[in-house]
Amino acid sequence: MEQYEPGRLSGAQLAAMRRSLTSGRGALTRRSMLRATGVGALTIGGLAGLSGCGIPPAKREGDGPASTDHSADEKRVVFSNWTEYMDVTEDEKHYPTLEAFTKRTGISVKYTADINDNVEFFGKIQPQLAAGQDTGRDLICVTDWLAARMIRLGYAQKLDPSQLPHAFANLSDQFRSPDWDPGRAHSYPWTGIPTVIAYNAKATGGRKVDSVSQLLDDPQLKGRVAFLSEMRDSIGMTLLDLGKDPGGFTDDDFDAAVARLQKAVDKKQIRRFTGNDYTADLDKGDIAACVAWAGDVVQLQNDNPDIKFAIPRSGYIISSDNLLVPAKARHKTNAEKLIDHYYRPPVAAQLAAYINYVCPVDGVRAELTKIDKAMADNTLILPDAAMAAASHAFRSLGAEEETAYEQKFAKLIGA
């Protein structure tokens, strides 16, 4: 998921966007493929239209302008989210946690799973935001780098803490104060997304794979290693292995990480760079070990006991998808109440049991144990203190950095 700057997209950014749409986390998840049908109203914008447009620069920065809040008179909220990011019944006709919110508050929810990629979605709503218009959405869910961008451009409203008592009290320390939104003044995380090492124990002959150095140098893994085609994940994990901080690295550090990966490419240690299509090869054992997204690992483990994961001693990369109220949203208070609803531990547990990503809500373990004890004990869903302490976020990038880094990464992976 690659960073977007107002104005025309560079070639490197377009290439990153195409990777994300076709095979990154923006592509259909494994659960989507297993269930064969998507949830909600899925809309995918065309690349051609976005690539050719020059979107005008934003005219303001800071907090999004307060709009007239119609929450008291209009008991509804419009929520846009990613596909497969909401608990749903088997017949796909009911969203239990959303219906519980409506029953408790009397506020109806128009829920649409129309986010498939950060860049594509931002391209859809940015012209309205830049013009100071309502996007027609009261609550959206976007990845941390785009959340940071929207806050900086004044496209997100500052939240009212009085409407968020459960969120304020129960937010995990790991997510409490990102540098792009100190104190969570504008956002709350929907879920955390760890990038870890996954391996097929049968394919490795029972050997544990627990470091990026092992992925890049172990001759017994040669030709059976995969890294992700998302720059922040693969470069971030390599920076950590080199002893560098992904939250404060330099251009020279970035170049060193690229060179480290290039060496493994040249000697054919790395089989390929992939989006989430690595799951099939890992499941079969064609890929013995890889850099992977934790949510995929959890889902693979449900069917294949040979799939294992490891957290390197050097640490791991974590990102988050975050809830924001867009500028000029019509039902801000209702949206805040919906955010707060998902920070009630019983609700958070029900959601975590379905989506299988890191739950950002403290006090969930007892509730999740009632649903599925194995999930409650899985540190990919509920990190323990040691795992939370090992997480690192990839720092925000400026426009010039983004273009330069993506160009270098695209050359590395042959994109």
Side-chain angles (χ1 to χ4, degrees):
M1 296 190 170
E2 310 308 332
Q3 189 156 349
Y4 181 90
E5 294 291 334
R8 187 176 298 276
L9 297 178
S10 69
Q13 288 169 322
L14 278 172
M17 175 183 170
R18 292 188 181 99
R19 291 197 302 272
S20 188
L21 278 169
T22 57
S23 60
R25 273 206 319 118
L28 290 178
T29 64
R30 182 169 180 269
R31 182 187 282 121
S32 299
M33 291 182 277
L34 288 173
R35 287 172 46 174
T37 57
V39 178
L42 177 62
T43 303
I44 304 177
L47 281 172
L50 184 56
S51 65
C53 69
I55 297 175
K59 298 180 180 179
R60 62 179 184 274
E61 294 198 6
D63 292 338
S67 59
T68 301
D69 191 352
H70 298 270
S71 293
D73 300 324
E74 300 174 1
K75 296 293 186 180
R76 60 179 180 270
V77 61
V78 181
F79 182 11
S80 280
N81 202 354
W82 293 77
T83 59
E84 300 296 335
Y85 243 19
M86 182 64 71
D87 55 303
V88 65
T89 56
E90 286 297 322
D91 61 8
E92 299 184 4
K93 294 181 179 179
H94 301 280
Y95 299 105
T97 58
L98 286 177
E99 292 180 2
F101 171 76
T102 298
K103 183 177 180 180
R104 183 174 58 80
T105 65
I107 300 169
S108 64
V109 182
K110 180 181 178 183
Y111 180 76
T112 308
D114 62 346
I115 304 179
N116 246 9
D117 175 82
N118 285 294
V119 178
E120 181 269 337
F121 181 69
F122 188 58
K124 184 189 303 182
I125 65 174
Q126 195 270 351
Q128 295 165 295
L129 292 167
Q133 299 172 352
D134 181 10
T135 66
R137 297 166 175 84
D138 302 304
L139 191 63
I140 63 174
C141 184
V142 294
T143 304
D144 44 18
W145 65 260
L146 180 54
R149 171 66 52 185
M150 292 184 65
I151 292 167
R152 190 159 57 249
L153 294 176
Y155 290 166
Q157 296 192 49
K158 194 169 184 178
L159 302 175
D160 179 358
S162 70
Q163 300 295 338
L164 297 158
H166 296 91
F168 181 81
N170 296 330
L171 176 60
S172 298
D173 287 343
Q174 183 180 11
F175 300 98
R176 188 161 286 275
S177 193
D179 59 5
W180 48 269
D181 189 22
R184 289 288 179 181
H186 305 81
S187 69
Y188 270 88
W190 180 250
T191 190
I193 308 158
T195 303
V196 300
I197 291 176
Y199 61 98
N200 185 318
K202 184 176 181 180
T204 65
R207 296 170 61 246
K208 184 176 183 179
V209 181
D210 60 1
S211 73
V212 170
S213 289
Q214 191 174 356
L215 290 175
L216 296 177
D217 298 326
D218 187 340
Q220 295 187 50
L221 298 177
K222 184 175 181 177
R224 298 188 296 154
V225 169
F227 275 69
L228 291 167
S229 59
E230 298 284 357
M231 181 264 288
R232 287 167 178 79
D233 296 296
S234 288
I235 294 294
M237 292 290 282
T238 306
L239 284 168
L240 285 169
D241 193 67
L242 290 170
K244 304 298 182 179
D245 178 11
F249 63 89
T250 65
D251 288 347
D252 287 344
D253 295 334
F254 184 91
D255 290 344
V258 170
R260 181 86 168 93
L261 290 167
Q262 185 66 61
K263 181 180 178 181
V265 169
D266 293 343
K267 66 181 183 181
K268 301 188 185 306
Q269 179 78 7
I270 297 176
R271 182 184 184 119
R272 63 192 179 104
F273 290 84
T274 78
N276 62 7
D277 50 323
Y278 68 84
T279 56
D281 286 341
L282 182 64
D283 191 36
K284 291 186 295 184
D286 292 340
I287 289 176
C290 62
V291 174
W293 288 304
D296 291 335
V297 176
V298 173
Q299 293 178 35
L300 284 171
Q301 288 178 325
N302 289 334
D303 303 320
N304 186 344
D306 290 323
I307 303 300
K308 311 293 183 181
F309 80 93
I311 302 298
R313 289 184 180 180
S314 58
Y316 66 99
I317 293 293
I318 193 164
S319 57
S320 58
D321 285 334
N322 306 274
L323 300 172
L324 299 176
V325 178
K328 294 294 183 178
R330 189 175 176 89
H331 309 106
K332 177 175 180 286
T333 299
N334 291 345
E336 290 167 337
K337 289 180 178 179
L338 184 56
I339 294 173
D340 197 63
H341 174 70
Y342 281 97
Y343 276 79
R344 294 171 177 256
V347 179
Q350 191 170 348
L351 180 68
Y354 184 83
I355 65 176
N356 298 160
Y357 280 95
V358 168
C359 179
V361 183
D362 277 342
V364 168
R365 182 172 302 280
E367 297 294 337
L368 189 54
T369 298
K370 297 175 186 177
I371 300 171
D372 189 321
K373 187 178 185 303
M375 284 190 178
D377 292 337
N378 192 330
T379 55
L380 294 181
I381 298 175
L382 296 183
D384 56 20
M387 183 168 175
S391 66
H392 298 264
F394 197 95
R395 70 171 175 83
S396 300
L397 301 178
E400 293 183 2
E401 282 184 317
E402 173 70 18
T403 296
Y405 291 170
E406 281 296 355
Q407 286 175 340
K408 291 176 180 179
F409 187 69
K411 182 179 179 181
L412 166 70
I413 69 176

